[in-house]
Amino acid sequence: MTSSPQKNKTNVGRRNFIKTAVVAGAATTLPSEKGAAAQNRTVTETGVSQGLAPPSVEQMSMEASTPEQVSEVQSDQGPAATETESAKYFGSDFMIDVMKSLDLDYVFSNPGSSFLGLHESITVYGGNRKPEFITCMHEESAAAMANGYYKAALKPAAIMCHGTVGLQHAAMNLYNAWCDRVPLIAILGNTVDASDRMGGTTWRHSAQDPAAMVRDFTKWDDQPASLQAFAESMVRGWKIATTPPMEPIVLAVDSTLQETAVEDPESLKIPRYTPSEPPQGERGAVRKTAKLLVDAEEPVIIVDRLARTPEGMRLLVELAELLNVPVIDIASRQNMPTSHYLNQTRQSGRLISRADLVLGMEVTDFWGQVNSVNRAEMTSEPRVKEGTKLVTISVNDLYMKSNYQDFQRYAPVDISISGDAEATLPALIEEVKEAMSRSRRRVLAQKEKTFRKMHADSFEESRQLAARGWNSSPVSTARLSMEIYEQIKAEDWALVSVGASERFISSWPHRLWNFDEHYRYLGIGAGGGVGYGLPAAVGAALANKALGRFSVNIQCDGDFMYANGALWTAAHHRIPLLTVMHNNRAYAQESMLVQGTANRRKRGVERASIGTLIQDPNIDYAKLAEGMGVWSAGPIENPDDLRPALIEAVKVVKSGYPALVDVVTQMR
Amino acid sequence: MNIKYFPGVLLLWILFSAVGVSAQEDANAVERGLKTFMRVGCYECHGTDGKGSEAGTALTPETLPPEAIANFIRFSPGRMPVYPVEVLSDEEIIDIVAYLESVPLSPDADDVDILKALALDKK
């Protein structure tokens, strides 16, 4: 790999190796444990090397490569390291120390020759702990896993892939993360110096500007030219990614830099990471909004990604209760507990059409909430009355890119507050308290009874509807959802994924399950890119494993077939996850849309289902799962067979393993 | 609504119900109705036995008479895709109704253990 002599760094010798190895231990000191004071350190000789702990037998057997693999890589990437070289502190070792300083838990990756140095440093030098290498079978899965991981752990993870072919694979789920405001760190292997590229593949796996491909839907990127620059860019990137609006960032890491033997480790510094405080809305505008809220007769709050953390949910409940204002939760995160009487999501149409004030908090498509569209006729009309005041609080306008249109239609409003809504809520609550007279409080308190009744009626209506088709085969989505809930409700459960939309299962979980915690629901693949559901669920389940939560994934069949290797990752890394197939044997959404198009065009509908059905042959998901070492049952067509299968599956998951139950279901 | 078309369906329906068709013909109509219901994609939104979903209301047990269904699906102003006569004939709608009327009743929520437990949990 090292053909240019000026980069062939000197051997630092055994003494220096021991010194620098110790450094790795120092760098594992977690920012959260030791605080900022432990950061900004020069490489020193103190500390115990956790990073150099030998991997367990299990870890070694998991990650061992065959001799063939090793020799192929050698011919591809240049000579293997010699005995003496193995005593060096390499550039990629330092990079791992930087990652350790950020308390990075996982790197989701499919191995690749442009980041061999980093790979080896994670597993061998770093002891495969913080970060741990999670073996993924597709870069698209890796990106979705990092996405799911963040939403469950509320902590970024990294993916690592080739800057060319790997990133091409990962791109779609980076886009899902972008649309979902999920911070993740994409590390790309690249060989910058053309004279370091050893033959055909290294050339094909190199790019002048690898991040260009995803620049339109990532927040920031860099290709640092030195190790010191890497340290700063990694810490800067982490900070940018986690500052609202949170988004993915990209670091292209030169393979030569990874291999560089560090001559003088003491000269390298890991900069201190200080999280940015999220921006708060301007106080004057917040005060005006509070006054409008207090004075409005029929205000409505709409939320989508308001609750970045559990605190967001607590604050929203406090605000809603102060005013007895109904909340419509679009639920890209779980913002409002479903059992709260002010969660009036099912009444959104009625409430929005009557509202005299609509406050949207972290809603990407606010226009789409206050207007209705007729897709077939391509027309739209306001859902709100004339004169209804519209207010938004969000970080939408603080960061945006032009090319991809996920910013949605421009929404004219009366007050637009740029600021993170969760961070702004304490001020808004204070101002509401300030603006509310005793008598107004008494008047507003009287609304409670009405909303309690509306909430109870809506729940009861859903409960009655759920019984319809209870004994149908294919199994109804209500029965599917409620049989699952029956088996998990006593656990500390989390519905970690429903794929691209909960509407695909008629929203039964949100109609009848009790989502009383922020972590009970993680939203959807926000870009609408299929191939998110299963890997995102696996990433989230990995986080939930450490948090002691029971993860359940309702898995659409179409989505499953994009990235089903994620099941093997779950088996390999012993990730407990209950996956229940919503196997309607179709791309049902498209099936409906093509049907509608054919109806409109009046040229016959016989062939309208070509291309949207996943039948002939039917796919046996239980067999697929079994083949990847995952416990499985199904395909279940008789609804009465569902319960015993789920009982077994829950046992498997509680013992620490993934399980899959394949259920043949109604379309919706 | 298309006035010309409407009495035609009604007439057909009256004919069918008044003449007193045999059990075999009934069974044939049910079978044809199910086939049509699947072929033209009603099942995608309304469920294979018309029990409904978030994408389409329940069509049973309170099944509308054929002329009302025809009226609705030919001129639907809402979320439901319009089915013109070129896609679905009046006779086929009558078969669909026969099928929907043959579908067994669903249990009451309080007769389903899980759903009953939900109501109790709430209290």
Side-chain angles (χ1 to χ4, degrees), chain B residues 32-52:
Chain B
R32 282 196 309 268
L34 168 61
K35 275 201 183 126
T36 308
F37 198 76
M38 300 298 286
R39 181 176 60 81
V40 300
C42 314
Y43 79 100
E44 294 177 345
C45 306
H46 294 289
T48 51
D49 40 16
K51 302 286 187 184

Side-chain angles (χ1 to χ4, degrees), chain B residues 38-91:
Chain B
M38 300 298 286
R39 181 176 60 81
V40 300
C42 314
Y43 79 100
E44 294 177 345
C45 306
H46 294 289
T48 51
D49 40 16
K51 302 286 187 184
S53 78
E54 223 176 32
T57 33
L59 304 178
T60 161
E62 305 92 19
T63 308
L64 296 168
E67 79 274 18
I69 291 190
N71 194 23
F72 186 84
I73 72 178
R74 302 231 190 280
F75 309 103
S76 156
R79 289 188 299 140
M80 157 136 177
V82 167
Y83 280 83
V85 71
E86 291 86 346
V87 171
L88 191 66
S89 71
D90 296 349
E91 292 81 353

Side-chain angles (χ1 to χ4, degrees), chain A residues 221-283:
Chain A
D221 65 82
D222 192 22
Q223 181 160 259
S226 70
L227 289 172
Q228 188 55 53
F230 171 87
E232 287 177 26
S233 288
M234 180 77 197
V235 176
R236 185 198 300 274
W238 188 279
K239 186 177 165 109
I240 289 173
T242 53
T243 301
M246 296 192 279
E247 299 292 4
I249 65 103
V250 182
L251 276 188
V253 182
D254 181 20
S255 61
T256 309
L257 198 61
Q258 297 172 42
E259 289 299 330
T260 303
V262 180
E263 221 171 314
D264 181 14
E266 283 84 354
S267 66
L268 293 173
K269 290 185 173 59
I270 300 175
R272 172 158 53 127
Y273 164 65
T274 314
S276 291
E277 297 303 331
Q280 217 185 54
E282 192 275 322
R283 193 68 184 223

